[in-house]
């Protein structure tokens, strides 16, 4: 597999062939993880730094686990413990990390484009673990792997992404990936939470959940990203749930075997009802977390090999 760059900054720059190759490798890591074995030779002697300027539970821990299962030395840095809280700029931080000869740098930042900026300044391969409202490529890859495992393909599916599309990097990366792989994507939400002009990405827009979910193969609920909202974009969480919360009645309009997905963290009773989230016959939310480790192992593996080739 030959990537166009040595970094993974977004889905936008990936060819469908690269996406499939990542997913095939991740599938083999998912099987390895289930067998309880590790492959510590893959990243032995390599240093992985997790640099998180925003909170994270799943993404940070799964990159840590992925790095460790492949034998890397893993260091977790969060802003509260780093010099950034003492006023150091992003570029000073980059220079410091560079001096440590880090091989793989996983970055989450509230500013869109921060990982791309770091990528220009460090020798390490940079992986975007979520930048503002821009992209979250490993989330889209793990969602795709979860879908492919259940539906056998990413082509010809109807996928409804519901809720706060405007502030969601998960929505953006998923739209780019799923359209590139040949699925139909619908975005469903109130006009205030759907960016104008989003149709240019090839999606169809729905403001009524009953229409948006009709005959969908996949229903993906998204959290209200209140940390990125300015002003009241919804009347109240309770009203949002009434119209846009994913509950059994709304899900009944999708295909009988439609899968329920959510990137986490979930706000139960706001964008998703517990009954639906915990229904093991429909919800693949836990499997998404499991596939997150496998996908991140594949990404670290591929980027480390790309770096070796370019060395
Ligand atoms: N965990 C995802 C993200 O970092 C989704 C969310 O926070 O709602 O974008």
């Amino acid at each position: 597999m030959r990537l166009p760059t040595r970094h993974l900054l977004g889905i936008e720059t990936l060819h469908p062939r690269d996406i499939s190759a990542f997913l095939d490798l991740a599938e083999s890591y998912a099987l390895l993880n289930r067998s309880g074995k590790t492959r510590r030779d893959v990243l032995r002697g390599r240093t992985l730094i997790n640099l998180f300027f925003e909170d994270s539970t799943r993404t940070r821990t799964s990159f840590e686990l992925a790095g460790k299962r492949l034998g890397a030395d893993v260091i977790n840095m969060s802003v509260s413990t780093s010099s950034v809280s003492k006023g150091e700029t992003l570029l000073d931080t980059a220079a410091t990390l560079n001096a440590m000869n880090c091989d793989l740098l996983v970055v989450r930042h509230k500013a869109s484009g921060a990982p791309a900026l770091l990528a220009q300044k460090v020798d390490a391969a940079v992986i975007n673990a979520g930048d503002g409202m821009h992209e979250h490529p490993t989330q889209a890859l793990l969602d795709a792997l979860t879908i492919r495992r259940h539906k056998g393909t990413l082509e010809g599916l109807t996928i409804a992404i519901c809720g706060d599309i405007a502030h969601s990097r998960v929505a953006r990366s998923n739209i780019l990936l799923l359209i590139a792989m040949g699925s139909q994507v619908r975005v469903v939400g109130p006009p205030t939470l759907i960016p104008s002009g989003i149709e240019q990405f090839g999606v169809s827009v729905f403001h009524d959940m009953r229409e948006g979910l009709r005959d969908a193969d996949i229903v993906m609920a998204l959290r209200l990203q209140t940390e990125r909202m300015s002003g009241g974009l919804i009347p109240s969480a309770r009203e949002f749930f009434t119209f846009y919360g994913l509950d059994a009645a709304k899900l009944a309009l999708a295909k009988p075997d439609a899968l329920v997905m959510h990137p986490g963290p979930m706000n139960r009773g706001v964008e998703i009802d517990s009954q639906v989230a915990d229904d093991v016959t429909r919800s693949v939310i836990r499997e998404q977390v499991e596939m997150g480790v496998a996908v991140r192992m594949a990404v670290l593996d591929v980027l480390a090999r790309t770096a070796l080739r370019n060395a």
Side-chain angles (χ1 to χ4, degrees), residues 54-56 58-59 108 129-130 132 136 139 167-170 222-225 227-228 262-266:
E54 259 191 355
D55 292 342
S56 168
R58 275 156 292 272
T59 307
R108 169 170 287 192
H136 193 349
Q139 178 72 46
H167 304 95
S168 173
R169 52 201 178 202
V170 174
L222 298 176
R223 183 176 67 87
L224 291 171
Q225 317 264 310
E227 71 276 27
R228 282 187 259 284
H262 193 302
M266 279 188 279

Side-chain angles (χ1 to χ4, degrees), residues 79-92:
V79 178
S80 55
T81 54
S82 77
S83 299
V84 175
S85 62
K86 298 178 188 161
E88 186 174 284
T89 68
L90 190 59
L91 296 182
D92 287 333

Side-chain angles (χ1 to χ4, degrees), residues 42-43 46 104 125 299-309:
V42 175
L43 295 180
R46 307 245 167 192
L104 295 150
V299 167
L300 295 175
D301 178 349
V302 168
L303 291 191
R305 275 189 277 144
T306 305
L308 253 191
R309 247 198 319 264

Side-chain angles (χ1 to χ4, degrees), residues 9-27:
L9 300 174
I11 296 295
E12 203 165 8
T13 50
L14 294 182
H15 190 276
R17 191 185 47 232
D18 303 327
I19 294 170
S20 294
F22 269 128
L23 299 184
D24 292 345
L25 184 60
E27 177 64 44

Side-chain angles (χ1 to χ4, degrees), residues 36-271:
K37 296 192 186 112
T38 54
R39 284 277 322 272
R40 298 206 196 276
D41 52 309
V42 175
L43 295 180
R44 183 167 296 133
R46 307 245 167 192
T47 304
L48 160 66
I49 298 186
N50 269 327
L51 181 62
F52 277 66
F53 294 89
E54 259 191 355
D55 292 342
S56 168
T57 314
R58 275 156 292 272
T59 307
R60 194 193 58 71
T61 46
S62 68
F63 267 113
E64 180 174 358
L65 205 50
K68 286 181 172 163
R69 287 202 180 146
L70 296 179
D73 296 320
V74 183
I75 293 155
N76 292 314
M77 284 177 64
S78 57
V79 178
S80 55
T81 54
S82 77
S83 299
V84 175
S85 62
K86 298 178 188 161
E88 186 174 284
T89 68
L90 190 59
L91 296 182
D92 287 333
T93 306
T96 306
L97 297 176
N98 228 11
M100 289 178 191
N101 296 324
C102 147
D103 300 290
L104 295 150
L105 182 61
V106 177
V107 186
R108 169 170 287 192
H109 200 284
K110 69 176 191 317
S112 303
L117 180 66
L118 274 174
Q120 290 168 19
K121 305 289 173 190
V122 295
D123 298 326
V126 174
I127 299 151
N128 180 2
D131 60 331
M133 301 188 269
H134 179 226
E135 278 228 42
H136 193 349
T138 55
Q139 178 72 46
L141 287 167
L142 75 89
D143 290 340
L145 180 60
T146 309
I147 295 171
R148 203 180 73 164
R149 298 183 106 226
H150 286 265
K151 301 291 177 192
T153 179
L154 292 172
E155 221 182 300
L157 300 173
T158 300
I159 295 155
I161 307 182
C162 310
D164 183 2
I165 310 297
H167 304 95
S168 173
R169 52 201 178 202
V170 174
R172 197 180 153 85
S173 289
N174 263 302
I175 290 168
L176 291 167
L177 186 151
L178 294 165
I179 299 268
M181 300 307 280
S183 275
Q184 271 87 53
V185 179
R186 303 173 179 170
V187 292
V188 190
T192 48
L193 294 180
I194 299 201
S196 59
I198 193 163
E199 294 89 346
Q200 288 167 17
F201 285 88
V203 302
S204 8
V205 175
F206 292 83
H207 298 306
D208 181 336
M209 276 286 263
R210 284 166 306 198
E211 284 171 26
L213 264 56
R214 189 154 290 133
D215 295 326
D217 296 287
I218 310 287
V219 184
M220 195 180 287
L222 298 176
R223 183 176 67 87
L224 291 171
Q225 317 264 310
T226 45
E227 71 276 27
R228 282 187 259 284
M229 286 183 197
S230 50
L233 295 177
I234 53 156
S236 69
R238 180 188 278 236
E239 192 173 319
F240 182 82
F241 182 70
T242 305
F243 290 104
Y244 296 102
L246 182 60
D247 57 14
K250 297 187 192 92
L251 183 61
L253 294 160
K255 287 202 180 137
D257 61 349
L259 301 178
V260 171
M261 304 181 77
H262 193 302
M266 279 188 279
N267 282 322
R268 292 165 181 267
V270 181
E271 73 276 4

